[in-house]
């Protein structure tokens, strides 16, 4: 739902921009004296869930452990830390999302923190030589573009609703910085770029996306502020970075989720809705029954964000997301996802299986469910295909790589019965007559939380009991299968959140040149 509150840029009328910067905005936005004409600004809705614990820690002078910034004086704020201006979390004001009004009146503390930020800004090196020396080990052009774009978005979402409560002097500073950031997002300061060690390097895709989405956010917050050509150019960049199947251009599920969260904020920009619909369909394809996102890596969760971005309604799922080399089969109450890796990887194609709403085979901090190689190789020519036959469906992922000039093919094929009660898999590494130049550690299956594996008496199979009160029989004939157990929370030895892995390894007497490992999962009828 769009936020209906409207704010007048009263303090903004005290701001005076140079003629060069004013020329980047729509005609009539500024008076002849360079001041901003009063207009309505609409705060942006932010669908990213706030982390209340981090907000409380922040008010007590503690930054999140993942930032590595350490503690600070709660009155001076995080910008009192030496590395604050060159760290993404502080430079882009990402912490504003976690500061909930439920903690009390945030205006006094934010005034102190913002004053400290403006003081630090004036202390930064100004000469070209000083900036070049400082930037030789500092952020790149893409980093600065991302920080500026995220800062604009976070200010429009979280500072704008409380702007009227700040002092008039601070409001004037904020409006000047906001308008300057918007102008420099449209047209970067060439003198500043020349002073950066990496000022003229090509921008990353994430930087191009952040710039475009921030410009569209400004158009949604203050309609008519930017020139139509600027708006259309940003819309074109967004269109280019979202593939026809709805995935972000890099094929990453998390990148797609991040893009979806940015698009969800543009409730007042109707032109992005067709793009938004495509991204939501891709997200729906990657959504588990519990709302979380299938990422095919060790990062897990994001259920709250996925559900808030998708919103209510039934979304059609895609069977193939070619941009991410991802395939999906839904059979009965079973879902199977398969992804082929691209770039550096130490695994073959990765799979995840959900049965009766519970994770059966998944990926977690313990590892990925795939054929594991002894070292990372450069995967290329990633392919994913699906074929439907009578009574069953097939997914196949294939990638190739070279080691010592010898070409290898890594293929995973999974066939699932129409009722979803049985699936057969085959993982293969083909390497030519002289044998593989990279060792296969084994075939690994990371089991979902709450799944309990028990080996059979004959040692030929493993019975897996799931939280959905199902029992699945796993077999990998001709290979030794072992059960590994570990805590997911590696930082806490007392954690009871234990997960299991199945690891299938070749037997010592197996000397075959090509490696083919066949396995199957079958739902058992319990008495």
């Amino acid at each position: 739902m769009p936020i209906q509150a409207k704010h007048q840029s009263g303090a903004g009328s005290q701001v005076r921009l140079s003629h060069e910067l004013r020329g980047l905005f729509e005609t009539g936005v500024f008076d002849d004296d360079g001041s901003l004409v009063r207009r309505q600004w609409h705060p942006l809705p932010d669908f990213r869930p706030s982390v209340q614990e981090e907000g409380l820690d922040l008010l007590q002078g503690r930054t999140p452990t993942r930032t590595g910034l350490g503690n600070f004086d709660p009155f001076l704020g995080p910008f009192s830390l030496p590395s604050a201006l060159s760290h993404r979390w502080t430079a882009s004001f990402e912490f504003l999302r976690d500061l909930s009004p439920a903690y009390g009146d945030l205006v006094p503390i934010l005034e102190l923190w913002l004053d400290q930020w403006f003081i630090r800004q004036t202390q930064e090196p100004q000469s070209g030589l000083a900036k070049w020396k400082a930037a030789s080990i500092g952020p790149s052009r893409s980093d600065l573009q991302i920080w500026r774009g995220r800062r604009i978005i976070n200010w429009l979402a979280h500072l704008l609703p409380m702007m009227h409560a700040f002092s008039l002097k601070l409001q004037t500073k904020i409006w000047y910085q906001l308008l300057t950031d918007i102008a420099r997002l449209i047209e970067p300061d060439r003198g500043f770029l020349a002073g950066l060690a990496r000022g003229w390097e090509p921008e990353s895709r994430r930087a191009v996306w952040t710039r475009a989405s921030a410009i569209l956010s400004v158009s949604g917050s203050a309609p008519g502020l930017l020139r139509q050509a600027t708006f259309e150019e940003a819309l074109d960049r967004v269109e280019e970075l979202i593939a026809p199947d709805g995935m972000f251009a890099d094929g990453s599920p998390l990148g797609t989720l991040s893009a979806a969260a940015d698009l969800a904020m543009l409730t007042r920009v109707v032109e992005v809705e067709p793009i938004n619909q495509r991204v939501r369909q891709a997200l729906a394809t990657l959504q588990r029954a519990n709302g979380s996102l299938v990422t095919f890596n060790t990062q897990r969760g994001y259920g709250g964000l996925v559900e808030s971005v998708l919103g209510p309604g039934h979304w059609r799922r895609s069977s193939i997301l070619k941009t991410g080399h991802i395939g999906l089969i839904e059979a009965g109450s079973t879902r199977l996802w398969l992804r082929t890796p691209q770039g550096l990887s130490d695994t073959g194609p990765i799979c995840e299986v959900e049965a009766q709403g519970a994770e059966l085979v998944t990926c977690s901090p313990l590892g990925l469910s795939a054929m594991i190689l002894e070292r990372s190789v450069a995967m290329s020519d990633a392919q994913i295909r699906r074929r439907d036959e009578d009574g069953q469906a097939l997914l196949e992922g294939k990638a190739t790589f070279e080691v010592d000039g010898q070409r290898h093919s890594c293929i995973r094929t999974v066939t699932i019965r129409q009722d979803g009660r049985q699936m057969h898999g085959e993982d293969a590494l083909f390497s030519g007559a002289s044998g593989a130049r990279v060792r296969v550690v084994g075939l690994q299956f990371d089991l979902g939380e709450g799944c309990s594996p028990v080996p059979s008496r004959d040692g030929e199979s493993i019975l897996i009991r799931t939280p959905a009160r199902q029992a699945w029989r796993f077999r990998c004939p001709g290979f030794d299968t072992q059960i590994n157990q570990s805590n997911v929370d590696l930082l806490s030895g007392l954690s009871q959140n234990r997960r299991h892995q199945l690891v299938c390894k070749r037997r010592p007497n197996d000397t075959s040149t090509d490696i083919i490992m066949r396995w199957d999962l079958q739902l058992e009828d319990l008495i």
Side-chain angles (χ1 to χ4, degrees):
M1 291 291 291
I3 297 177
Q4 297 298 329
K6 299 175 182 179
H7 295 261
Q8 301 286 340
S9 54
S13 61
Q14 306 299 318
V15 174
R16 300 291 187 274
L17 290 188
S18 66
H19 179 73
E20 174 198 1
L21 296 182
R22 296 200 306 270
L24 299 173
F25 295 85
E26 182 61 274
T27 304
V29 168
F30 293 90
D31 284 329
D32 294 338
D33 63 354
S35 61
L36 181 66
V37 175
R38 292 176 66 89
R39 65 189 310 107
Q40 291 179 338
W41 291 71
H42 305 266
L44 298 176
D46 193 344
F47 289 90
R48 292 175 173 85
S50 60
V51 182
Q52 295 185 0
E53 294 79 8
E54 289 190 0
L56 288 172
D57 285 344
L58 193 60
L59 293 175
Q60 298 175 55
R62 296 190 293 270
T63 62
T65 305
R66 67 178 185 278
T67 65
L69 289 171
N71 299 337
F72 59 90
D73 185 328
F75 292 98
L76 293 178
F79 299 108
S80 60
L81 296 168
S83 57
L85 293 188
S86 59
H87 194 286
R88 179 184 184 277
W89 184 75
T90 43
S92 59
F93 282 74
E94 291 290 346
F95 61 85
L96 288 177
R97 184 186 310 118
D98 298 324
L99 294 176
S100 168
Y103 304 142
D105 187 5
L106 295 174
V107 170
I109 193 70
L110 281 179
E111 281 197 327
L112 293 173
W113 292 5
L114 285 164
D115 279 335
Q116 183 68 23
W117 184 73
F118 283 113
I119 291 172
R120 288 290 306 277
Q121 287 286 93
T122 60
Q123 294 173 348
E124 287 299 290
Q126 300 300 316
S127 71
L129 180 60
K131 285 189 290 187
W132 185 84
K133 288 182 177 179
S136 60
I137 56 173
S140 66
R141 177 189 181 187
S142 291
D143 292 331
L144 295 174
Q145 191 85 297
I146 292 171
W147 298 348
R148 175 173 282 142
R150 297 308 315 174
R151 182 165 65 239
I152 291 172
I153 292 172
N154 287 321
W155 281 19
L156 292 178
H158 303 288
L159 276 191
L160 192 58
M162 61 179 78
M163 186 81 80
H164 64 284
F166 294 136
S167 67
L168 186 62
K169 181 179 179 181
L170 182 57
Q171 286 187 54
T172 302
K173 287 182 178 180
I174 293 173
W175 280 115
Y176 179 81
Q177 184 65 50
L178 179 61
L179 292 170
T180 302
D181 274 343
I182 294 171
R184 287 309 179 197
L185 201 65
I186 299 170
E187 182 63 45
D189 183 347
R190 294 181 178 273
F192 179 73
L193 292 181
L196 289 178
R198 293 175 287 166
W200 300 109
E201 67 179 8
E203 291 180 347
S204 67
R205 278 184 295 210
R206 182 53 59 182
V208 174
W209 171 269
T210 305
R211 174 183 179 271
S213 59
I215 289 174
L216 295 178
S217 297
V218 172
S219 296
S221 180
L225 184 73
L226 304 181
R227 294 180 298 183
Q228 184 64 22
T230 301
F231 173 83
E232 291 176 353
E233 187 262 345
L235 190 63
D236 288 343
R237 297 292 83 75
V238 167
E239 178 72 47
E240 290 170 1
L241 287 169
I242 298 297
D245 60 7
M247 294 288 285
F248 188 67
D250 63 0
S252 161
L254 283 177
T256 303
L257 177 58
S258 178
D262 288 337
L263 292 175
M265 302 176 79
L266 306 177
T267 53
R268 302 178 62 86
V269 184
V270 297
E271 290 85 351
V272 303
E273 190 55 29
I275 306 173
N276 206 354
Q277 294 291 328
R278 298 206 309 268
V279 177
R280 289 179 180 179
Q281 182 178 344
L283 277 188
T285 302
L286 297 167
Q287 187 184 32
R288 297 190 184 97
N290 64 4
S292 62
L293 187 73
V294 175
T295 63
F296 300 99
N297 58 33
T298 58
Q299 295 172 285
R300 296 180 55 77
Y302 306 96
L305 181 54
V306 176
E307 291 183 330
S308 64
V309 169
L310 284 178
H314 299 285
W315 293 94
R316 183 172 62 87
R317 297 175 184 270
S318 302
S319 60
I320 294 290
L321 297 172
K322 292 185 178 180
T323 308
H325 312 293
I326 297 169
L328 166 68
I329 293 177
E330 293 184 278
S333 61
T334 304
R335 292 178 188 164
L336 164 70
W337 289 274
L338 182 66
R339 185 183 194 188
T340 308
Q342 178 87 341
L344 283 179
S345 176
D346 61 355
T347 75
I350 310 160
C351 75
E352 296 209 14
V353 179
E354 182 180 82
Q356 200 69 35
E359 296 175 38
L360 177 58
V361 174
T362 182
C363 301
S364 77
L366 297 182
L368 308 181
S369 296
M371 178 182 281
I372 309 298
L373 308 178
E374 66 174 345
R375 58 189 173 91
S376 295
V377 294
M379 298 281 186
S380 61
D381 300 327
Q383 301 174 32
I384 187 80
R385 70 185 183 96
R386 171 176 172 164
R387 186 173 71 244
D388 293 284
E389 301 173 345
D390 292 339
Q392 62 182 16
L394 176 146
L395 271 180
E396 181 183 86
K398 177 182 178 181
T400 61
F401 61 92
E402 285 192 9
V403 177
D404 298 333
Q406 182 169 318
R407 189 177 182 84
H408 298 64
S409 296
C410 197
I411 304 172
R412 166 169 275 182
T413 305
V414 184
T415 304
I416 184 169
R417 211 166 68 185
Q418 190 174 27
D419 58 8
R421 295 175 61 90
Q422 187 175 31
M423 61 188 75
H424 299 279
E426 180 180 286
D427 287 81
L429 180 63
F430 299 111
S431 52
S434 58
R437 301 298 177 89
V438 58
R439 189 173 69 89
V440 173
V441 176
L443 191 61
Q444 179 174 287
F445 294 91
D446 190 64
L447 302 184
E449 185 176 347
C451 289
S452 177
V454 179
S456 63
R457 292 183 180 179
D458 59 7
E460 294 297 322
S461 66
I462 292 177
L463 189 69
I464 306 169
R465 294 182 180 271
T466 75
R469 301 193 178 189
Q470 289 184 329
W472 288 78
R473 181 77 60 185
F474 174 83
R475 298 181 180 85
C476 188
F479 296 86
D480 294 328
T481 302
Q482 64 187 47
I483 301 173
N484 294 340
Q485 179 179 336
S486 179
N487 289 333
V488 170
D489 186 359
L490 301 179
L491 300 178
S492 174
L494 300 178
S495 172
Q496 298 300 312
N497 187 15
R498 296 186 180 275
R499 301 285 286 262
H500 296 85
Q501 281 181 340
L502 304 182
V503 180
C504 307
K505 295 186 175 181
R506 302 173 70 185
R507 292 173 178 169
N509 58 354
D510 186 352
T511 59
S512 56
T513 303
D514 294 324
I515 301 171
I516 302 175
M517 307 179 75
R518 296 182 176 89
W519 51 272
D520 67 79
L521 273 166
Q522 182 170 351
L523 182 63
E524 296 282 301
D525 292 320
L526 298 180
I527 300 176

